[in-house]
Amino acid sequence: LAKTTQPISMDSYEGQEVNITCSHNNIATNDYITWYQQFPSQGPRFIIQGYKTKVTNEVASLFIPADRKSSTLSLPRVSLSDTAVYYCLVGDIGWNNNDMRFGAGTRLTVKP
Amino acid sequence: GAVVSQHPSWVICKSGTSVKIECRSLDFQATTMFWYRQFPKQSLMLMATSNEGSKATYEQGVEKDKFLINHASLTLSTLTVTSAHPEDSSFYICSAHKTLTGELFFGEGSRLTVL
């Protein structure tokens, strides 16, 4: 079971780049890293997924070092609407129930 | 993209009654679905894993007789909170595993308030 550790909270200002790091020291060979965003009273929303190196999509980038024991979600030029809780999940594509346990997440607050 | 729908999105019931929450994968088949509960300002807590055609697997501390899970088809799982009490008031969320691609999609959540 790859336990994840994230900072509890982060503050930023509009227009800044935000980097949220997740530690997963006992990640397994078959595990992927997936980040979700959750707004109050809504289900989590997929942001990005990766296995190694760097992945980029239209909303974020994911940086994974060679040892894969951590990952960093990068949000470019955040806006007020990016205020949310961000979770990283680590697990294989089969998503057995051991992988379904969420960590505490990181509560990002974007200020004007 | 794939959508997972929950119904109802919110429900208020009296103490002692039972409430059923549905989770549907609208455009894909999901052999496995997951149920979570979330209290205010806390993380999602996995309650159980629902497998189509078989009994659900419950997390330690979750009463299987109180939280009945049925996964009768590849697109529908239901969670029934039996004899609900005020302490069962929470935000319940499901997720569905798209078997072919390995992607995991979450429902919008269902807020239960027990009076």
Side-chain angles (χ1 to χ4, degrees):
Chain A
L1 173 60
K3 182 180 176 180
T4 59
T5 303
Q6 303 172 231
I8 294 297
S9 64
M10 294 181 68
D11 290 341
S12 182
Y13 290 92
E14 282 190 291
Q16 290 187 333
E17 178 185 75
V18 171
N19 295 309
I20 305 174
T21 298
C22 179
S23 297
H24 27 79
N25 289 320
N26 57 342
I27 187 170
T29 303
N30 294 331
D31 287 345
Y32 285 73
I33 300 155
T34 310
W35 284 80
Y36 292 88
Q37 176 192 56
Q38 187 184 28
F39 296 113
S41 297
Q42 293 186 28
R45 185 173 69 105
F46 173 89
I47 301 174
I48 197 167
Q49 183 181 69
Y51 183 80
K52 62 180 179 180
T53 62
K54 177 183 175 182
V55 180
T56 298
N57 61 23
E58 61 275 11
V59 298
S61 294
L62 179 59
F63 298 92
I64 304 168
D67 66 6
R68 304 201 324 124
K69 293 183 182 298
S70 67
S71 58
T72 299
L73 173 71
S74 181
L75 304 173
R77 297 181 299 281
V78 294
S79 63
L80 296 177
S81 61
D82 292 317
T83 294
V85 179
Y86 292 82
Y87 297 96
C88 73
L89 257 67
V90 175
D92 64 32
I93 294 298
W95 289 113
N96 65 71
N97 63 315
N98 284 334
D99 305 322
M100 286 297 99
R101 296 183 180 89
F102 280 73
T106 298
R107 186 173 298 275
L108 173 66
T109 302
V110 180
K111 303 176 182 178
Chain B
V3 177
V4 173
S5 176
Q6 279 186 242
H7 178 80
S9 55
W10 59 270
V11 57
I12 302 173
C13 70
K14 293 182 178 180
S15 184
T17 60
S18 295
V19 173
K20 179 185 286 187
I21 301 170
E22 294 185 347
C23 178
R24 293 182 184 273
S25 55
L26 298 185
D27 57 357
F28 67 96
Q29 294 185 333
T31 306
T32 303
M33 292 184 176
F34 303 93
W35 286 96
Y36 313 78
R37 64 189 298 181
Q38 186 176 34
F39 294 107
K41 301 213 172 179
Q42 293 187 24
S43 184
L44 287 77
M45 184 189 79
L46 179 66
M47 299 176 67
T49 302
S50 170
N51 296 299
E52 187 266 338
S54 64
K55 292 183 178 180
T57 303
Y58 290 83
E59 292 296 295
Q60 190 172 12
V62 178
E63 300 175 58
K64 61 180 181 180
D65 294 329
K66 180 169 185 60
F67 299 99
L68 301 179
I69 292 173
N70 183 276
H71 194 154
S73 79
L74 287 172
T75 59
L76 174 64
S77 177
T78 60
L79 168 68
T80 301
V81 183
T82 62
S83 186
H85 292 284
E87 58 266 27
D88 298 323
S89 297
S90 187
F91 191 55
Y92 292 87
I93 304 170
C94 71
S95 68
H97 174 225
K98 188 174 183 180
T99 310
L100 289 179
T101 63
E103 295 169 277
L104 190 66
F105 299 94
F106 287 82
E108 314 96 319
S110 300
R111 182 161 301 283
L112 169 64
T113 301
V114 184
L115 302 177

